[in-house]
Amino acid sequence: MQSSLLRFIEILRSHALPVSPAETLDAAAAMEVVGYSDREMLRNTLAMTLAKSDREEHTFFYCFDQFFDQQAADFSGAANEDGDSESEPASDSADAASPESSESAGSGVGQAGAGTAVDDAAELAAAANSSPALQELLEGDLLPALLENQRGSLSTAMRRAGQDAGLSKIRLFTQKGQYTRRILDSLGEDLIRDAVIELERAESPAIDTLRRYRDVLREQVRDFVEQQYLMNAEGHNSAFMEEILSKTRLSNIDRRHRERVQEQVQRMARRLASRHSARRRPVKRGQLNMGKTLRGGMAHDGILFKTHWRSRKRDKAQLLALCDVSGSVAAYASFLLMFLYSLQDVLPRTRSFAFSSHLGEISDLFKEEPVERAIELANWRYGGATDYGGSFRDFAQLALDDINSSTSVIILGDARNNRGNPELEIMQSIYQRSKQVIWLNPESRRAWGTGDSEMLRYQTACHYCAPCSNLQQLERVVDQLLKSLR
């Protein structure tokens, strides 16, 4: 059972649920205490040990049900004369969650197909007199187990063959055929193939019977591999897809992936919030305020019961975000704003501005509306042809006087000004007043300064400029921003 626990923890990790080695040991110890007989008790115990939040608990329950609800395979379909397994009673399915229960329930054939299985066994035994391969097959374990529908032993053998074949490492749907063949060879299906060839050459009437059992075996192994693929590959494929999306230009992300990317932004924000959450630090008392200390002691005949210290007051940090929402940059602005407003617990006071031909503050939109709706309204109100000079003039009237040495300004835009006045003097004034000016440009550095791009001129009035076209780059920039604001 310990090996099953380790495989289950691998499934959890593939679904982005972090489980440390210490937590693995705790889960193993908990399993020893509660045992394995009560499935609900085991489920809740492992959940308390391995899941640390509501989101992780939801993922845990999904993976637990997928991993531990695997039913034993049913090979009784070959015992029906018409080969239709649906005509069999389904009374075994309720007890198929464990190999032990499935073996006791499926040690014999169902009542509807019992006579047929006996006839099949007699027919194959008669045909074996002229077929050495079939005789060898009947003396082995596989075909007798198929004839008797020994679900427990066959399912156990199939799982063991899957472990030997490394089925838990399956990642791509194109690998299903490869693992199916490995498991069939491990079970001894090659002996059935040899026997089928002999019976075909001899034109034996038992050929159809043997083919039925061979086809049912293949079908059950294919179903088993399909189930394992869905369970093992889902988390890895999801992580692979997220890695691709994190490196894809935000403007190229299709609408059908929008929700997945938003969830990814939320996870990135949680990761950064955890990394940069406020930590308690020892307060520096500063220099002794002698005058205040002496005056406080006058009431006690000059005895200085309490000392007073000179403390330095620091201005609260603030962040001003200016986002170009014109058609070429709107997608990037949306994700930056989504990122910033997902970090409200660790970011300082944030004011947001949207611009294209003119600029306006949109901070109140994020207080009144959900983030997605606020971004849509900002694009609708301020989208259009780009005029950086006019937008900077609007910003100077709205917020230039509020910028001080504790203010960080982050600008997202491609700096393409349609040959207008760039108002570089305003940018230089922002640079001189602020703690730092960060410019994020969706275009590559090679495109800066080409055509109507004013990026090389604006770069002289920025503390830091960087290309930012995907989520990976955006996370890196926001991470550096949070470090500088500590």
Side-chain angles (χ1 to χ4, degrees):
M1 195 64 181
Q2 297 298 329
S3 60
S4 298
L5 175 63
L6 294 178
R7 291 198 304 273
F8 174 57
I9 288 177
E10 288 180 5
I11 299 295
L12 293 178
R13 288 171 175 165
S14 72
H15 283 75
L17 196 156
V19 180
S20 67
E23 290 169 338
T24 302
L25 294 175
D26 291 342
M31 289 181 69
E32 292 294 335
V33 173
V34 302
Y36 316 125
S37 57
D38 190 334
R39 181 182 178 280
E40 193 66 23
M41 175 70 74
L42 177 63
R43 184 173 183 260
N44 294 331
T45 300
L46 290 179
M48 288 187 292
T49 306
L50 301 175
K52 300 171 283 296
S53 66
D54 291 340
R55 181 184 62 84
E56 291 186 4
E57 188 176 74
H58 176 76
T59 302
F60 171 86
F61 287 143
Y62 171 77
C63 294
F64 184 94
D65 293 338
Q66 289 285 316
F67 186 82
F68 288 101
D69 281 356
Q70 302 175 45
Q71 296 188 351
D74 186 3
F75 300 87
S76 62
N80 297 326
E81 293 181 358
D82 58 355
D84 185 5
S85 61
E86 292 181 0
S87 62
E88 284 294 317
S91 58
D92 293 339
S93 60
D95 299 323
S98 64
E100 294 79 9
S101 61
S102 61
E103 185 169 6
S104 62
S107 58
V109 186
Q111 295 297 323
T116 306
V118 173
D119 295 341
D120 291 343
E123 183 180 11
L124 293 173
N129 295 327
S130 59
S131 174
L134 182 56
Q135 182 64 39
E136 181 183 358
L137 190 59
L138 287 170
E139 293 174 355
D141 297 328
L142 178 60
L143 187 55
L146 288 171
L147 289 168
E148 298 175 9
N149 189 25
Q150 295 177 5
R151 300 176 59 186
S153 60
L154 288 168
S155 297
T156 301
M158 194 162 55
R159 292 192 181 97
R160 188 177 297 114
Q163 293 179 20
D164 295 340
L167 185 56
S168 61
K169 298 179 181 179
I170 187 171
R171 298 292 179 266
L172 305 175
F173 74 94
T174 53
Q175 296 175 304
K176 291 190 288 186
Q178 173 186 357
Y179 282 104
T180 299
R181 175 45 53 196
R182 288 183 185 177
I183 294 173
L184 286 171
D185 289 344
S186 179
L187 291 174
E189 193 258 354
D190 56 325
L191 297 177
I192 299 181
R193 294 201 310 270
D194 294 340
V196 167
I197 293 173
E198 279 193 0
L199 294 179
E200 284 179 344
R201 290 173 180 173
E203 297 182 354
S204 172
I207 182 64
D208 292 335
T209 301
L210 187 57
R211 281 174 177 168
R212 283 206 313 271
Y213 285 96
R214 179 201 62 184
D215 294 343
V216 167
L217 176 64
R218 290 177 176 178
E219 180 183 357
Q220 292 299 324
V221 172
R222 280 196 297 266
D223 290 345
F224 173 65
V225 172
E226 176 76 20
Q227 182 186 50
Q228 294 298 309
Y229 165 73
L230 293 175
M231 182 174 62
N232 287 281
E234 180 182 3
H236 291 280
N237 290 347
S238 178
F240 178 66
M241 186 64 183
E242 288 182 1
E243 182 179 0
I244 292 176
L245 290 175
S246 70
K247 297 178 181 179
T248 302
R249 291 184 67 87
L250 295 175
S251 59
N252 294 335
I253 294 177
D254 194 82
R255 282 186 173 273
R256 56 197 172 98
H257 297 305
R258 184 90 177 186
E259 184 175 351
R260 181 191 288 267
V261 174
Q262 289 176 356
E263 293 175 357
Q264 192 170 350
V265 168
Q266 297 293 332
R267 282 194 293 273
M268 288 179 173
R270 284 195 297 267
R271 183 164 59 245
L272 291 179
S274 175
R275 185 183 305 166
H276 298 284
S277 57
R279 295 175 176 83
R280 299 189 63 180
R281 298 178 181 177
V283 178
K284 294 182 179 180
R285 293 182 299 180
Q287 295 180 346
L288 180 66
N289 189 334
M290 184 59 70
K292 193 171 183 179
T293 301
L294 292 175
R295 287 193 297 271
M298 291 174 61
H300 308 287
D301 295 332
I303 300 175
L304 306 180
F305 282 104
K306 185 177 181 180
T307 55
H308 297 272
W309 304 85
R310 300 183 186 275
S311 59
R312 296 178 59 186
K313 291 185 178 180
R314 297 180 58 185
D315 294 334
K316 290 185 178 180
Q318 68 170 338
L319 176 66
L320 305 183
L322 286 70
C323 295
D324 183 354
V325 293
S326 61
S328 59
V329 197
Y332 304 95
S334 299
F335 286 107
L336 174 62
L337 291 171
M338 192 181 302
F339 220 128
L340 295 179
Y341 279 89
S342 298
L343 288 166
Q344 288 300 288
D345 292 338
V346 292
L347 274 177
R349 184 167 60 92
T350 303
R351 295 176 63 185
S352 303
F353 302 84
F355 69 91
S356 54
S357 58
H358 63 288
L359 178 143
E361 185 168 0
I362 57 174
S363 304
D364 291 339
L365 286 178
F366 290 92
K367 297 177 182 178
E368 301 167 359
E369 304 285 349
V371 174
E372 295 80 4
R373 176 61 177 165
I375 292 172
E376 290 180 4
L377 292 174
N379 291 341
W380 176 72
R381 291 183 184 179
Y382 299 102
T386 308
D387 181 2
Y388 276 79
S391 299
F392 284 147
R393 288 193 294 271
D394 293 339
F395 178 76
Q397 295 178 0
L398 287 173
L400 187 60
D401 293 338
D402 298 330
I403 298 177
N404 53 40
S405 59
S406 299
T407 303
S408 296
V409 179
I410 183 168
I411 303 172
L412 176 67
D414 57 8
R416 295 198 173 274
N417 197 33
N418 295 319
R419 309 292 181 181
N421 182 359
E423 294 290 355
L424 188 59
E425 296 80 6
I426 298 178
M427 272 297 300
Q428 291 172 343
S429 178
I430 296 173
Y431 175 85
Q432 294 168 357
R433 293 168 178 246
S434 63
K435 176 182 179 181
Q436 59 181 342
V437 178
I438 301 173
W439 192 300
L440 306 180
N441 194 320
E443 297 182 342
S444 65
R445 291 185 183 274
R446 292 188 297 272
W448 295 3
T450 62
D452 61 346
S453 173
E454 300 286 353
M455 191 62 216
L456 296 181
R457 299 179 67 185
Y458 284 137
Q459 189 175 5
T460 62
C462 297
H463 296 84
Y464 176 74
C465 295
C468 182
S469 61
N470 56 50
L471 288 181
Q472 201 172 65
Q473 293 174 334
L474 183 59
E475 182 184 18
R476 188 183 306 119
V477 169
V478 175
D479 187 23
Q480 294 297 324
L481 173 65
L482 292 174
K483 286 180 181 179
S484 67
L485 294 175
R486 282 183 174 180

